[in-house]
Amino acid sequence: MGIENNKYVVFDLETTGPDVNRDYIIEIDAVKIEDGVITEPHK
C-alpha cells in the first residue's frame, strides 16, 4: 500500500523558537490528504 492510497492529515506548527521550555506555538495549520490529493485545505 503506497502513500497515494491513504487518508491522512498533515500539521504545520509555527513556534517562537526551538526551546520547549521557553518558546511556544503561535500558529497551527492542517490539510487533509486523500489518495495523494489535498481535499480539505485550511480556510
Side-chain angles (χ1 to χ4, degrees):
M1 179 190 269
I3 197 166
E4 67 280 351
N5 296 320
N6 290 303
K7 296 178 186 179
Y8 54 95
V9 176
V10 176
F11 292 95
D12 177 33
L13 299 177
E14 299 292 330
T15 65
T16 58
D19 187 337
V20 297
N21 295 311
R22 189 181 71 206
D23 300 312
Y24 52 93
I25 297 170
I26 57 173
E27 185 176 341
I28 301 173
D29 203 358
V31 293
K32 182 178 178 184
I33 300 175
E34 295 183 60
D35 299 324
V37 177
I38 296 174
T39 58
E40 292 186 34
H42 176 269
K43 296 179 183 181

